[in-house]
Amino acid sequence: MVRVYWSLSNIMKAKEHTREVRDKAVEKFKAALSYTKISQDLNISRSTVQSIIRKWKEYSTSANIPRHRRPPKLPDRTRRALVRNATKCPKITLEELRCIATELGESVHGTTISRTLHKSGLHGRVARRKPLLKGGHKKSCLKFARSHMEDTATMWKKVLWSDETKNKLFGPNAKRYVWHKPNTAHRPECTIPSVKYGGGSIMLWGCFSSAGTGKIVRIIGKMDGAKYWDILEENLLESVRELRLGRRFTFQQDNDPKHKAKSTMEWFKNKHINELEWPSQSPDLNPIENLWKDLKTVLTELELFCKEEWAKMSVSRCANLVVIPQKICCCYCRKRGFHKVLSHAV
């Protein structure tokens, strides 16, 4: 259902008053009558009287001034209504805005509406996906920020950051376009709340510090506490040695239940590993997210490269490969079902 944030009765297309009416308004203004009195005498709105007088003061005439260019397709009131709807509901679509314009008596193309919004500083952008934050999440994030505001750069250099990420090698994630002005991309109404549901083409665990990247591991199958413990056992301390963090390093991980398993916490205790207390639902605080973004950009470029190379495959190569199944069938018949694998290099 399309919501209109402006009364339809107030956005009806206004008729232009005659020159005689405009001249009478000017004469009464010269006679020191108020805008309200002039409005009552001529039976026109007070805002119309103000517009007539403002135009007379600026151009010394009540006549229509020749336009220097084509008048806008949308009246000012309709334009303001569209901008108001896009501002209050950034996820509104061009089609919904076009329906609103139609209800207001203006039949325009979506391109016209888009151009109108651009002039008001609103541009269609892909909505950012941000974690769904509740009251408790916000309080814990604020507590974390206040407790670490005075930490030195040396302390942060001793932190080993870690996280998992899902990478889709082929095919982008679903996108949703929103209307927003510059520097407003992270406002709640311009973002899509996200929660962790897993899945994806490939799952990775990685770590890094200010000294560089540590180990990165592909997660095969479903991730659980035991598999996470194996990853830490094989990669965490080795990454610490390679990055030369020393014994007094701090390990960062989020509050995923798999990370807080009893076996994992006992392992930290036995290895004397200091864990950084971390607020829930706060990936923005973890700088490794920027490295994941860089990695996904490279994978996107790899996808484009694969598609380009795939399109370059010759017709003759494809025709030669189609012969292989027939040769394999002949082999099966000669060997009575037993078959030595043929080389697929044709």
Side-chain angles (χ1 to χ4, degrees), residues 62-278:
S62 62
N64 288 330
I65 306 299
R67 296 186 176 97
H68 298 288
R69 58 182 180 180
R70 178 183 175 183
K73 179 71 175 178
L74 292 174
D76 285 343
R77 289 182 175 178
T78 304
R79 177 186 60 78
R80 289 195 298 270
L82 294 176
V83 172
R84 185 177 294 106
N85 274 271
T87 301
K88 290 188 175 182
C89 184
K91 295 182 179 70
I92 194 170
T93 64
L94 275 177
E95 182 61 26
E96 290 172 334
L97 289 172
R98 194 184 65 81
C99 291
I100 291 175
T102 302
E103 292 178 5
L104 301 179
E106 303 294 338
S107 179
V108 293
H109 193 271
T111 305
T112 302
I113 297 176
S114 180
R115 188 163 49 244
T116 299
L117 297 179
H118 291 172
K119 291 179 179 178
S120 298
L122 292 169
H123 300 272
R125 297 290 186 266
V126 177
R128 309 285 180 89
R129 291 188 175 272
K130 303 197 70 176
L132 183 61
L133 294 179
K134 298 180 180 179
H137 297 143
K138 296 178 182 178
K139 289 180 180 179
S140 61
C141 288
L142 184 59
K143 179 181 177 182
F144 176 88
R146 287 173 175 171
S147 63
H148 291 281
M149 281 187 63
E150 304 299 328
D151 290 349
T152 63
T154 303
M155 178 271 176
W156 292 113
K157 289 181 180 180
K158 299 289 286 184
V159 176
L160 182 67
W161 306 89
S162 72
D163 195 17
E164 297 92 29
T165 186
K166 176 184 69 176
N167 290 278
K168 286 191 174 182
L169 296 179
F170 296 96
N173 291 319
K175 296 180 180 179
R176 177 69 186 271
Y177 285 87
V178 295
W179 299 100
H180 69 75
K181 294 185 178 181
N183 301 321
T184 61
H186 292 281
R187 289 185 178 178
E189 64 271 17
C190 297
T191 61
I192 298 176
S194 62
V195 293
K196 296 182 179 179
Y197 286 117
S201 300
I202 182 174
M203 288 289 293
L204 299 172
W205 175 91
C207 61
F208 91 107
S209 74
S210 63
T213 55
K215 297 294 184 180
I216 187 168
V217 182
R218 180 178 180 180
I219 302 169
I220 306 297
K222 185 179 180 180
M223 180 73 151
D224 55 20
K227 185 169 292 186
Y228 183 67
W229 183 88
D230 289 338
I231 291 175
L232 297 181
E233 177 73 25
E234 297 175 5
N235 300 277
L236 195 154
L237 295 180
E238 187 175 349
S239 296
V240 171
R241 285 192 293 270
E242 291 179 355
L243 297 173
R244 298 181 179 179
L245 294 178
R247 293 183 178 181
R248 296 183 178 179
F249 74 95
T250 301
F251 181 63
Q252 179 277 332
Q253 62 176 1
D254 59 33
N255 295 317
D256 190 294
K258 296 183 289 292
H259 300 170
K260 298 296 183 179
K262 184 177 179 180
S263 59
T264 303
M265 303 311 293
E266 289 180 354
W267 185 80
F268 285 155
K269 184 177 180 180
N270 294 334
K271 297 294 183 180
H272 305 287
I273 296 175
N274 180 38
E275 184 188 2
L276 181 64
E277 185 179 354
W278 196 251

